[in-house]
Each structure stands twice: as C-alpha cells, then as structure tokens.
Amino acid sequence: MANSKFEYVRNFEQTDSLLPNTWIVVRVDGRAFTKMCAKYGFEKPNDRRALDLMNAAAKAVVTDLPEAMIAYGVSDEYSFVFHKSYNLFERRASKLVSTIVSTFTANYVYSWPTCFPGTPLSFPLPTFDGRAVCYPSLQNLRDYLSWRQVDCHINNLYNTTFWSLIQLGGLDNKEAEKILAGTLAAEKNEILFSKFHINYNNEPEIFKKGSVIFRDYELVDPGSHAVDLEMDALAEPVQQSKTQAEKDKKKRAKARVVVEHIDIIKDEFWDKRPWILS
Ligand code: ATP
Ligand code: ATP
Ligand code: MG
Ligand code: MG
Ligand code: MG
Ligand code: MG
C-alpha cells in the first residue's frame, strides 16, 4: 500500500519482544470468577463442570497452537509453555498473550453449553486476563510448574476442609476460617478424617493435582533414553532453522493431545516423556 502522511504513527508502537532463548509461560486467569461461582452456582469447593470447561478451552488452545509444549491448569487459571527456541509471532508479548487469551475465551464460551447444559450464559460473559513470563533455565520452568501444582494441592486441601466444615459440619464461613487458621496439612487431614470420615488421599486426582495437557507420543523407558536436557540444550542454536521448525510443527500437529491429572513435580513425568521439553 502506498505511503500516506499518516503512516508515521506506526513509529509510536512499542516493541515488546520477549527475551530470546528463554522458556515462555503465558498464564490466563478468569476475571472475577469468585462472582461467576456465585452467579452460576458452581459446586464448592470443586465444580467438575467448570474444570472440564477450562480443560476443553485449554485443549483447544494447545491444538490450535502446536507450538505450545505443555499446559497446566488449576481453578480458573491455565499456563501454556512455549519452547525457548520458538519464534512464534516474533516472540512479541502482546501478540502471543492476546492470541492465547482470545482463543481460550472464545473456546470457553463455545463449550459452555456442553459443560453446563441447562444453564445458559448471560452478561457479563466470562473473560480472562493473561500475562507472559520468561524463564531462563529449564530448572526455572520446572520450578514454575511445580509452584502452580503445589499451590493446587495447598488450596485444595484447605478448600476441601473448609467446605466440609460448612457443608457437612454446619459451621458458617467465619467459624470454619477460625478453626483452620494456622493449621498444618496434617491437622487438616485429621479434621477431614476424624470429623467427616474423608480420606483426602481418596479425593479425585483432578482436584488434588490439577490438569496437565500435552502431546502423547510413545512413552520412553527413562533408564535407557533419559537425557540431561539442560546439558543437551547447551549445544542447541538459539533459534531453530525454519525447515526444522516446520517439520516439528507438523509432527506435533498430528500427535494426540491428552489431558491428565498427574504429578509434574517429580522427575518421573518428564523422564518418561522427554519430547515435551526437548
Ligand atoms: P481475579 O479477577 O482477580 O482473578 P477472581 O475472583 O477470579 O478474581 P481468583 O484468585 O482467580 O479470583 O480465584 C478464582 C476463584 O474461583 C476461587 O475462589 C476458586 O475457588 C473459584 N473457582 C475456580 N474454579 C472453580 C471450580 N471449578 N469450582 C469451584 N470454584 C472454582
Ligand atoms: P493476521 O493473523 O496476520 O492478522 P489476517 O489474514 O487476519 O492475518 P489481516 O491483515 O488482518 O490478515 O487481513 C484481514 C483480511 O480479512 C483482509 O484480507 C481483509 O480484506 C479481510 N476482511 C476483514 N474483514 C472483512 C470483511 N468484513 N469483509 C471481507 N473481507 C474482510
Ligand atoms: Mg487474577
Ligand atoms: Mg481469577
Ligand atoms: Mg485464579
Ligand atoms: Mg488479522
């Protein structure tokens, strides 16, 4: 298109490219979901329909953007991980975050009637915010994911005990809060077991561990194939060649995208699936 005298305004755009050679995590989080829970009567502490809906939306994002290596979801949030060598949207933060947030939100709204049959959406519609964070080492990235999964566990143990005291114990919010103030995990387990005969270990994995989305290839015997990814990565160029990136993308686009509720803190998950971060 021909230049116009107005074209100079383009120079006002700020560059916001994410640091090269770092793992990118984009986390989306539901806006004012505490209100959403009340409005749509989410079951407390865990509404399975709402979790299934988050997973459906996140699965659509991972399927739509084969560059997403793995995603982790809990409550009203989902984190999407992009390989440090990827150059998607020239690593421009606003393009990456806004594309993920809008893909996620569009799919959340689209899948609502499937997960909440008989409960039509009304205004204000569900929306999500998003942010991108760069992690320079694989250890930082693993620690990020561990942080989210530990958070899931801590919150779920608290919420399960809190809501048992209310729903089964007949207490009000204030009384339940008071009983739980300053308690350790073991004490919450004990309250659940002695008062309500609930063994926390038997709670559904999706509540205790959250949800992990990844591409499923064949499992690898960790003994024979595990590689020290960090060391291996030292030899890698900062960016993949275009043809290699295209090949990888095609392979990933064909693989099955799965949702599991599984520990990602220990090495086992990663050792068995070395392709996820390689
Ligand atoms: P913000 O806009 O700042 O994120 P928020 O109200 O969404 O505000 P969060 O810290 O994101 O605050 O908390 C989300 C709330 O939604 C929590 O109270 C959480 O328990 C609740 N929630 C999310 N998913 C579910 C679910 N599947 N079942 C029951 N409650 C849920
Ligand atoms: P990108 O993802 O990079 O934005 P794009 O295909 O959306 O790729 P744009 O530069 O945004 O590229 O161009 C949008 C295209 O959609 C143009 O070809 C434009 O003519 C077409 N388009 C948008 N709105 C309409 C419309 N209302 N009717 C017909 N064509 C439209
Ligand atoms: Mg928030
Ligand atoms: Mg929220
Ligand atoms: Mg949240
Ligand atoms: Mg466009």
Side-chain angles (χ1 to χ4, degrees), residues 220-257:
V220 168
D221 168 14
S224 61
H225 286 81
V227 284
D228 184 342
L229 293 173
E230 197 72 74
M231 283 304 291
D232 206 44
L234 286 177
E236 262 175 33
V238 170
Q239 263 177 32
Q240 283 185 311
S241 73
K242 269 217 166 110
T243 46
Q244 189 57 41
E246 278 305 308
K247 259 195 209 162
D248 277 8
K249 193 173 168 173
K250 271 190 193 145
K251 198 173 145 207
R252 280 194 304 277
K254 273 196 214 148
R256 205 161 54 100
V257 175

Side-chain angles (χ1 to χ4, degrees), residues 27-32 76 129 131:
R27 182 169 75 250
V28 303
D29 184 283
R31 179 163 173 237
D76 68 339
D129 67 32
R131 71 195 68 179

Side-chain angles (χ1 to χ4, degrees), residues 166-182:
I166 292 169
Q167 294 163 346
L168 306 171
L171 302 189
D172 65 27
N173 289 21
K174 282 246 157 65
E175 292 166 330
E177 254 169 39
K178 214 171 151 194
I179 286 187
L180 290 178

Side-chain angles (χ1 to χ4, degrees), residues 31-45:
R31 179 163 173 237
F33 262 49
T34 311
K35 279 190 196 151
M36 279 270 294
C37 292
K39 181 176 171 186
Y40 293 105
F42 282 16
E43 267 170 50
K44 295 308 269 185

Side-chain angles (χ1 to χ4, degrees), residues 141-240:
L141 176 67
R142 286 274 310 266
D143 288 346
Y144 170 82
L145 293 167
S146 299
W147 173 51
R148 297 326 300 145
Q149 194 165 46
V150 167
D151 216 53
C152 169
H153 164 71
I154 293 171
N155 288 336
N156 190 55
L157 178 58
Y158 182 93
N159 291 338
T160 305
T161 317
F162 178 81
W163 286 101
S164 296
L165 287 167
I166 292 169
Q167 294 163 346
L168 306 171
L171 302 189
D172 65 27
N173 289 21
K174 282 246 157 65
E175 292 166 330
E177 254 169 39
K178 214 171 151 194
I179 286 187
L180 290 178
T183 53
L184 302 173
E187 294 167 286
K188 292 185 191 79
N189 274 301
E190 184 53 31
I191 293 172
L192 281 175
F193 198 71
S194 61
K195 283 200 200 299
F196 309 113
H197 310 293
I198 294 171
N199 182 345
Y200 183 75
N201 290 332
N202 297 338
E203 288 292 290
E205 292 299 305
I206 185 173
F207 300 165
K208 290 186 296 181
K209 301 233 166 55
S211 300
V212 189
I213 300 183
F214 55 94
R215 291 191 167 69
D216 205 17
Y217 300 90
E218 269 175 70
L219 285 184
V220 168
D221 168 14
S224 61
H225 286 81
V227 284
D228 184 342
L229 293 173
E230 197 72 74
M231 283 304 291
D232 206 44
L234 286 177
E236 262 175 33
V238 170
Q239 263 177 32
Q240 283 185 311

Side-chain angles (χ1 to χ4, degrees), residues 77-91:
E77 69 168 62
Y78 239 102
S79 301
F80 299 90
V81 176
F82 294 86
H83 197 277
K84 61 179 188 162
S85 71
Y86 288 169
N87 204 26
L88 188 62
F89 302 120
E90 284 125 29
R91 297 176 77 88

